[in-house]
Amino acid sequence: GGVVLWLPLAVSSSLMCFELPALFALALAVYPMMRSDGELSRREGLVLLSCYALIVAVELMLTSA
C-alpha cells in the first residue's frame, strides 16, 4: 500500500486490472466462510487454496505474455 501512495506510476497495470479485483473478491469470499464458527473447514480451505493457485497461474501467464 505504501508503494502505491509513494509512487503511483510505478504500479503495474496487471495489479490494477487483475490482482486487486481478484484479491478483493477472495477477501469477500472469506468473510461468509469465517462467520459460521470462526474456523474454516477442510473444503473451504481447499477452495481458497485453489483460488490462490488460480490467481498465481493467471498472473504468471500475464507476465510471460
Side-chain angles (χ1 to χ4, degrees):
V3 173
V4 174
L5 293 175
W6 187 258
L7 298 170
L9 298 177
V11 176
S12 68
S13 64
S14 70
L15 176 69
M16 297 306 284
C17 295
F18 174 71
E19 290 178 26
L20 286 179
L23 293 177
F24 184 71
L26 193 58
L28 288 176
V30 169
Y31 182 70
M33 290 179 187
M34 295 296 289
R35 284 196 56 190
S36 59
D37 57 357
E39 294 181 4
L40 291 174
S41 69
R42 187 177 303 243
R43 191 181 96 217
E44 292 167 338
L46 183 61
V47 167
L48 293 174
L49 184 63
S50 300
C51 289
Y52 177 71
L54 181 66
I55 289 171
V56 170
V58 170
E59 185 63 31
L60 287 173
M61 287 189 316
L62 287 175
T63 57
S64 66

